[in-house]
Amino acid sequence: MRKTYEGANFWTKEEEMPTLPQDLIIEILVRLPLKTLLKFRCVSKSWLSLLSNTEFHKTHVNFSMNNPKMTDYTLAAVATVSGLGKICRVYTISSENSSVTVSKHGCPPKSLSLSAWLLGSCNGLVCLTTDSFELMLLNPCTGKFNVFPDSIIHCEVGDGGYYFRYGFGYDASTDDYKVVKIFSFPQSGEGRHVNMVNVYSLKANSWSNIQGFNSGHINGNVGVFANGILHWEGCLNCHISGAYSEIVTLNLATERYGKIGLPSYEDGGIIHWALGVSRGCLVACCNYELNRADMWVMKEYGVERSWTKLVAISSPVDHRVKISPLFVAENGDEVLVMLGTEITLYNSRNASFKRLADYVSGDFLQVQVVTYLESLTSPHI
């Protein structure tokens, strides 16, 4: 079906008529680097109209998502440095067959450096918190942003207190971006938690309460978004041997919860899971006590038997830390991971680690990372 772009009969009488059909021009444009598209906005009013059109933005994002071999991703890392405050670095991630290349990428947006927490990304937008109890949707490539209040709840808190988790994603059924905030209250016995859930709709510009759920302890501060669904790892009896973990899901379109089983793992010792998404696929990393981890990818979303082990990683002797997935090469030969607070490229062919030069072990109190697609997506609807 031919797409229509409202208000975009782009060529005026004063301008030279194009020699190519509009559909073909759009097919060419979606294949160009974002930096080129940003420059093209200055060519003429008609080009500005086209490149500012939300339908073109969606077409560009869909092409990038459906053609991962032609798409570069960007990694933003915000480090809290002892005595220096926060430092932000941005890198371009390129992947070709078995290789992953990470290169430094220009000046980071100031808003990322000022963020308190990075809460995830979707379609080129990054969700983050500020220091003034506000949330922000930011397009790091265009610099456009949208600020709105965070959510609070009014209820009695027991002796166990509570914690909260976030998630950010896109509801394609309503063309809406949503932020989820989970308030978790521990119950006595076997690590069960009662969860109250609020959802922010960018289109409605408001928070609403949805039905809550019960679970184990939800690990990780941020949910992982894939296939229109947010994912958190939930664990019962997390701190003892024999703990049971599973993935808790929330479908942003139906606002229904679900569960996905994690891959099988070796018995014995305490297991820590870390979730991620790479090129649209759900990734799970199983951390064992003895300095090693297995990384799995879900080849067919929602089908538990499609979990495929990509690589087994043995941590360096001097790094007894948790490993979290950031980006995976097509065949799994190279994976970009968080090794504690260090961003590291692991090569499974020779079991080597290559640390990003900017980050030196021991200098950082905390490092947050987010991987995003470069796009023209607007943080306003």
Side-chain angles (χ1 to χ4, degrees):
M1 179 183 292
R2 175 176 175 157
K3 282 188 175 293
T4 58
Y5 295 81
E6 184 179 351
N9 228 339
F10 302 109
W11 315 107
T12 65
K13 293 180 180 179
E14 291 78 13
E15 296 173 322
E16 183 179 351
M17 295 295 290
T19 56
L20 296 175
Q22 179 181 305
D23 286 354
L24 183 56
I25 292 173
I26 292 170
E27 285 297 315
I28 295 172
L29 290 178
V30 296
R31 288 166 167 79
L32 297 179
L34 192 77
K35 285 185 178 180
T36 303
L37 296 181
L38 292 173
K39 292 177 181 178
F40 280 2
R41 296 184 302 180
C42 302
V43 170
S44 66
K45 290 182 179 179
S46 57
W47 281 92
L48 177 61
S49 177
L50 169 60
L51 296 173
S52 301
N53 190 279
T54 56
E55 287 301 322
F56 177 79
H57 298 170
K58 294 175 189 176
T59 302
H60 179 254
V61 167
N62 289 336
F63 178 85
S64 299
M65 295 293 291
N66 293 328
N67 295 273
K69 293 183 180 180
M70 300 176 63
T71 303
D72 290 342
Y73 288 81
T74 302
L75 173 74
V78 179
T80 303
V81 186
S82 179
L84 297 177
K86 292 183 178 177
I87 296 177
C88 183
R89 297 286 186 268
V90 178
Y91 303 88
T92 297
I93 306 173
S94 303
S95 175
E96 185 174 352
N97 297 325
S98 62
S99 298
V100 176
T101 303
V102 184
S103 54
K104 205 163 183 180
H105 175 80
C107 298
K110 185 177 180 181
S111 298
L112 287 179
S113 300
L114 298 176
S115 66
W117 291 99
L118 299 175
L119 305 180
S121 72
C122 179
N123 296 347
L125 296 181
V126 176
C127 184
L128 51 91
T129 66
T130 69
D131 289 326
S132 55
F133 201 72
E134 292 177 323
L135 301 183
M136 176 188 293
L137 294 186
L138 168 71
N139 185 321
C141 299
T142 65
K144 295 181 179 179
F145 62 90
N146 189 358
V147 178
F148 51 94
D150 201 345
S151 173
I152 60 174
I153 59 170
H154 300 282
C155 64
E156 293 185 7
V157 178
D159 295 337
Y162 75 97
Y163 63 88
F164 51 86
R165 301 289 185 250
Y166 287 95
F168 169 60
Y170 176 66
D171 177 1
S173 68
T174 57
D175 188 25
D176 193 9
Y177 290 90
K178 295 180 177 180
V179 180
V180 175
K181 189 171 184 180
I182 301 174
F183 300 85
S184 292
F185 300 85
Q187 290 181 312
S188 58
E190 297 186 349
R192 301 297 301 182
H193 288 68
V194 175
N195 303 294
M196 300 177 63
V197 183
N198 290 352
V199 176
Y200 174 81
S201 161
L202 182 60
K203 183 172 284 188
N205 188 28
S206 64
W207 288 92
S208 62
N209 300 104
I210 66 171
Q211 181 180 350
F213 65 101
N214 295 336
S215 72
H217 186 276
I218 298 177
N219 296 314
N221 293 321
V222 178
V224 172
F225 180 74
N227 288 77
I229 295 174
L230 282 166
H231 308 75
W232 296 268
E233 185 249 322
C235 178
L236 291 177
N237 300 319
C238 296
H239 304 295
I240 64 173
S241 178
Y244 172 73
S245 295
E246 62 188 358
I247 299 175
V248 178
T249 66
L250 173 60
N251 187 311
L252 291 182
T254 63
E255 296 185 345
R256 292 182 178 177
Y257 303 99
K259 296 179 181 179
I260 296 177
L262 284 158
S264 59
Y265 55 87
E266 299 175 18
D267 294 330
I270 299 174
I271 304 299
H272 297 284
W273 287 93
L275 301 181
V277 62
S278 180
R279 305 192 304 180
C281 292
L282 193 62
V283 181
C285 192
C286 180
N287 287 265
Y288 297 95
E289 281 189 296
L290 300 177
N291 265 15
R292 60 190 182 87
D294 292 335
M295 191 170 295
W296 302 73
V297 64
M298 180 171 269
K299 296 286 190 178
E300 184 178 351
Y301 181 77
V303 180
E304 294 177 9
R305 65 176 180 274
S306 73
W307 281 115
T308 303
K309 186 176 175 178
L310 286 179
V311 62
I313 303 175
S314 296
S315 302
V317 176
D318 58 339
H319 284 67
R320 296 181 178 275
V321 292
K322 183 178 178 180
I323 296 176
S324 302
L326 297 178
F327 189 85
V328 182
E330 185 177 2
N331 62 2
D333 281 356
E334 292 188 347
V335 293
L336 190 66
V337 300
M338 284 292 294
L339 189 65
T341 57
E342 293 182 1
I343 303 171
T344 304
L345 186 62
Y346 178 75
N347 187 325
S348 64
R349 295 184 294 270
N350 55 19
S352 65
F353 292 87
K354 181 181 179 181
R355 186 176 60 201
L356 294 192
D358 298 71
Y359 293 89
V360 180
S361 178
D363 287 348
F364 299 91
L365 303 178
Q366 184 183 64
V367 177
Q368 301 178 66
V369 295
V370 64
T371 303
Y372 58 89
L373 181 74
E374 292 192 341
S375 79
L376 294 167
T377 304
S378 172
H380 299 273
I381 291 182

